[in-house]
């Protein structure tokens, strides 16, 4: 019995010794396959959430994402909404836009962006709008995240 167990142990050790280099060499391939599984997705905190709607203006368009209130369990009491401006050919020098992020027909905030200097001013019009989180040029677009209070909490 001892001899059988030691043979099984040696076989297992040899298999593991072969398996370890294979996993390191195929690490990128395994990671690509794992990333394509249906349950794998990027957290909305990093992606900005799903696109809710797009509003076309003269010379540019505004893309408003759904508000993100991510938490480990349930929803957080604070979150953000991401808004993206993309120019037809290039961004206008000044973006002055009124946003209704919850699509209830009532303006929630006004944002004024100087795309040359990056200076951004936020004027909250709703009590759930807190402050500007970030405003930055990303490739050929301008992106802003606005901090919000969760109306459900």
């Amino acid at each position: 019995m001892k001899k059988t167990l030691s043979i099984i142990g040696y076989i297992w050790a040899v298999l593991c010794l072969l398996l370890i280099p294979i996993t390191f060499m195929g690490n990128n391939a395994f990671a690509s396959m794992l990333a394509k599984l249906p349950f794998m997705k990027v957290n909305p905190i990093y992606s900005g959430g799903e696109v809710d709607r797009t509003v076309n203006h003269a010379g540019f368009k505004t893309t408003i994402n759904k508000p993100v209130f991510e938490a480990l369990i349930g929803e957080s009491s604070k979150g953000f909404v991401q808004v993206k401006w993309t120019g037809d050919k290039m961004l206008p020098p000044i973006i002055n836009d009124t946003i209704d992020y919850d699509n209830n027909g009532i303006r929630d905030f006004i944002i004024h962006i100087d795309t040359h200097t990056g200076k951004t001013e936020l004027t909250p019009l709703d009590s759930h709008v807190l402050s500007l989180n970030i405003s930055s040029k990303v490739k050929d677009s301008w992106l802003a995240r606005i901090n919000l209070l969760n109306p459900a909490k």
Side-chain angles (χ1 to χ4, degrees):
M1 183 68 176
K2 270 188 162 184
K3 192 171 187 169
T4 307
L5 287 176
S6 65
I7 290 173
I8 292 172
Y10 280 116
I11 291 173
W12 179 249
V14 169
L15 285 175
C16 287
L17 195 63
L18 294 173
L19 189 65
I20 289 172
I22 291 171
T23 57
F24 280 117
M25 289 185 290
N27 196 16
N28 289 335
F30 294 142
S32 295
M33 288 188 297
L34 186 65
K36 291 178 184 173
L37 293 175
F39 62 87
M40 299 295 275
K41 64 179 185 172
V42 177
N43 192 311
I45 290 176
Y46 304 111
S47 68
E50 297 176 31
V51 172
D52 189 23
R53 66 190 182 286
T54 302
V55 181
N56 290 314
H57 304 281
F60 68 98
K61 68 179 180 179
T62 305
T63 305
I64 304 168
N65 291 6
K66 292 181 180 176
V68 175
F69 299 105
E70 278 294 307
L72 187 59
I73 299 172
E75 287 187 343
S76 173
S77 61
K78 292 182 180 178
F80 67 89
V81 65
Q82 180 169 294
V83 184
K84 178 180 169 184
W85 294 269
T86 307
D88 291 343
K89 294 180 183 171
M90 57 183 290
L91 286 169
I94 301 290
I95 297 173
N96 198 14
D97 206 354
T98 303
I99 306 294
D100 174 19
Y101 78 88
D102 52 5
N103 205 16
N104 63 356
I106 302 169
R107 302 179 313 164
D108 295 310
F109 60 87
I110 299 170
I111 192 159
H112 179 82
I113 304 168
D114 184 341
T115 58
H116 292 298
T117 64
K119 184 178 179 191
T120 305
E121 296 173 12
L122 177 74
T123 307
L125 302 174
D126 184 74
S127 60
H128 294 108
V129 177
L130 296 177
S131 62
L132 180 69
N133 183 334
I134 192 164
S135 176
S136 176
K137 184 175 183 181
V138 180
K139 294 185 183 178
D140 296 331
S141 303
W142 198 276
L143 201 78
R145 286 189 177 185
I146 292 82
N147 295 324
L148 305 172
L149 284 174
N150 190 343
K153 296 266 178 178

